[in-house]
């Protein structure tokens, strides 16, 4: 039995392909590219959609070849046993180096970066060829779309693995190619979220390459023009960054104002507006933001999101009372919303701390006078307790809310036995969660 098993293993090894260096048929692919170039220069073939479809196919093959056998979920053993990948020329910490790529071993799989190309700029040739094929014969659109789907899948994967190893420049460019491919009429309606992804990364890359601000602006404007909005409205924040990076102050303001009108809860947009209004002369008074939101509330007075935004602006303006009034409206109109209760309680605490700071700067002749004034601090803290208890009731697993509630009750321990009981209760809940 043992001898039979050994013979079977030996046979398997004998007939398994040897795993040597990475295999890329560069010469064969180059021959196909040269033939395609010749066909394009042939007047009879140049006018046929099939010629351009084939051109797109062979040039895309040149793009795929170096990474065709790579998938994000591979491990080291499978990589070395795959003939097309083979053994690396060098192994470093979590990185294997090959003639065409570097493979990075990351959590739950791999990522890669291509270090060598068969034909730089091949994707531009591919996209041009597919557009030409459509122009010559729209009846070929189903075949064109099939190729576009392959391009989109390839560059979406490239964007993902590049992002995972902080190659944001490659990820941004990959998403741009997804967008360009989907703009072919044969594809149908583009998926504009990829315009947003590309624009978002471009805004980020603009810090080191100002030209990215230009491409980011165009990508996000295209998405907005098509009616796309991400769920939180961050597209307006990143568009603002692209405008601001180019010195377009008026456009920066307009992007943020449009965004805040549609997404009044978006803290990034609010922070951008406050920053813009306080650092750039002539942009406007930060108080104008309140007027903007109040005008919207006049038409929609029960809109909790608008009240939320109003509260955030007043907090930035250091008007805690109006901030509290705004979040009280959030709680009134959205009683099931955890954030409304949590922030209302938080701003009661901020108010209490402000009063405490004032009290502690005064000179007192007796402890009785100090205690009388400090009672105002405790009275504010008391208002926060039931609000925060409601928040905990909505989300009893939120450790920040429980920790705040525990601390508040401890501060109020000398103002009634109920607070010491609450302190014990919420301390126990917090300990159980931790």
């Amino acid at each position: 039995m043992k001898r039979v098993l050994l013979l079977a293993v030996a046979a398997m090894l004998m007939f398994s392909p040897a795993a040597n260096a990475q295999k890329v048929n560069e010469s064969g692919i180059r021959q196909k590219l040269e033939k395609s170039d010749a066909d394009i220069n042939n007047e009879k073939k140049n006018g046929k959609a099939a010629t351009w479809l084939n051109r797109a196919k062979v040039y895309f093959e040149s793009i795929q070849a170096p990474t065709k056998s790579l998938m994000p979920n591979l491990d080291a053993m499978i990589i070395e046993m795959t003939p097309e990948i083979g053994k690396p020329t060098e192994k470093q910490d979590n990185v294997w180096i090959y003639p065409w790529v570097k493979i990075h071993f990351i959590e739950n799989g791999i990522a890669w970066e291509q270090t060598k190309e068969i034909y730089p700029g091949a994707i531009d040739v591919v996209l041009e060829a597919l557009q030409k094929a459509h122009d010559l014969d729209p009846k070929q659109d189903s075949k064109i779309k099939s190729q576009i789907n392959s391009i989109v899948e390839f560059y979406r994967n490239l964007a993902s693995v590049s992002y995972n190893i902080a190659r944001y420049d490659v990820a941004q460019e990959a998403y741009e190619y997804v967008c360009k491919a989907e703009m072919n009429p044969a594809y149908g309606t583009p998926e504009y979220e990829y315009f947003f992804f590309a624009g978002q990364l471009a805004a980020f890359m603009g810090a080191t390459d100002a030209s990215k601000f230009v491409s980011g602006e165009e990508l996000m404007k295209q998405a907005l023009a098509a009616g796309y909005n991400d769920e939180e409205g961050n597209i307006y924040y990143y568009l603002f960054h692209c405008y601001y990076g180019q010195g377009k102050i008026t456009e920066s303001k307009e992007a943020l104002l449009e965004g805040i009108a549609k997404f009044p809860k978006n803290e990034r947009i609010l922070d951008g507006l406050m920053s813009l209004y306080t650092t750039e002369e002539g942009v406007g008074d930060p108080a104008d933001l309140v007027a903007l939101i109040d005008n919207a509330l006049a038409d929609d007075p029960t809109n909790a999101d608008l009240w939320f935004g109003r509260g955030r602006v007043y907090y930035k303006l250091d008007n805690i009372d109006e901030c509290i009034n705004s979040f009280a409206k959030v709680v009134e109109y959205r009683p099931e919303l955890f954030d409304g209760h949590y922030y209302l309680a938080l701003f009661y605490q901020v108010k209490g701390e402000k009063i405490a700071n004032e009290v502690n700067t005064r000179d007192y002749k007796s402890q009785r006078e100090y205690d009388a004034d400090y009672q105002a601090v405790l009275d504010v803290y008391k208002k926060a307790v039931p609000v925060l208890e409601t928040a905990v009731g909505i989300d009893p697993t939120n450790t920040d809310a429980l920790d705040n509630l525990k601390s508040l009750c401890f501060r109020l321990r000398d103002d009634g036995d109920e607070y010491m009981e609450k302190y014990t209760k919420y301390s126990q809940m917090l300990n159980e969660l931790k």
Side-chain angles (χ1 to χ4, degrees), residues 251-265:
E251 290 87 344
S252 300
K253 176 182 175 181
E254 290 172 353
L256 290 172
L257 289 177
E258 184 180 351
I260 203 63
K262 294 178 180 178
F263 300 92
K265 278 180 65 175

Side-chain angles (χ1 to χ4, degrees), residues 36-53:
S36 173
D37 291 345
D39 289 345
I40 294 305
N41 291 320
N42 183 312
E43 288 186 11
K44 291 183 179 180
K45 295 182 178 181
N46 182 281
K48 296 179 179 179
T51 302
W52 293 95
L53 275 168

Side-chain angles (χ1 to χ4, degrees), residues 171-381:
Q172 189 269 331
E173 186 177 59
Y175 276 132
E176 274 205 68
Y177 283 126
V178 171
C179 300
K180 289 177 180 178
E182 292 187 355
M183 289 299 288
N184 188 300
Y187 184 78
T189 304
E191 299 167 276
Y192 282 99
E193 65 178 344
Y194 295 112
F195 287 72
F196 170 57
F197 295 160
Q200 183 180 24
L201 284 168
F204 177 75
M205 295 299 300
T208 54
D209 180 0
S211 68
K212 293 291 186 181
F213 286 133
V214 179
S215 59
E217 174 194 339
E218 290 305 315
L219 287 159
M220 286 184 281
K221 281 166 63 176
Q222 280 181 279
L224 286 169
Y228 173 81
N229 265 312
D230 64 292
E231 188 174 338
E232 296 178 347
N234 287 325
I235 190 168
Y236 292 99
Y237 176 75
Y238 291 111
L239 180 57
F240 148 69
H241 263 296
C242 289
Y243 280 137
Y244 195 73
Q246 298 174 71
K248 297 180 177 180
I249 305 303
T250 301
E251 290 87 344
S252 300
K253 176 182 175 181
E254 290 172 353
L256 290 172
L257 289 177
E258 184 180 351
I260 203 63
K262 294 178 180 178
F263 300 92
K265 278 180 65 175
N266 190 301
E267 295 187 11
R268 287 179 170 179
I269 297 176
L270 281 171
D271 288 343
L273 279 166
M274 293 302 298
S275 175
L276 195 64
Y277 274 61
T278 54
T279 58
E280 295 291 338
E281 289 187 17
V283 170
D285 186 336
D288 294 344
L289 299 178
V290 176
L292 177 77
I293 295 176
D294 282 348
N295 286 337
L297 280 168
D299 296 326
D300 191 5
T302 62
N303 188 317
D305 287 348
L306 287 171
W307 285 110
F308 198 107
R310 186 179 188 272
R312 287 273 297 132
V313 171
Y314 269 119
Y315 177 69
K316 289 288 186 179
L317 294 172
D318 201 28
N319 187 333
I320 299 302
D321 285 334
E322 277 301 322
C323 178
I324 288 171
N325 291 338
S326 297
F327 275 93
K329 291 291 186 182
V330 175
V331 167
E332 179 182 349
Y333 297 126
R334 290 285 302 279
E336 80 290 354
L337 186 68
F338 170 85
D339 284 353
H341 294 87
Y342 180 78
Y343 282 111
L344 177 57
L346 187 65
F347 292 129
Y348 272 131
Q349 289 175 264
V350 171
K351 181 177 180 178
E353 287 161 10
K354 280 180 173 288
I355 298 172
N357 289 336
E358 292 172 8
V359 169
N360 290 329
T361 58
R362 298 172 192 162
D363 290 328
Y364 290 96
K365 295 179 180 179
S366 68
Q367 185 67 36
R368 180 180 296 176
E369 288 181 5
Y370 173 82
D371 290 343
D373 281 358
Y374 197 78
Q375 186 61 43
V377 178
L378 300 179
D379 289 341
V380 174
Y381 287 156

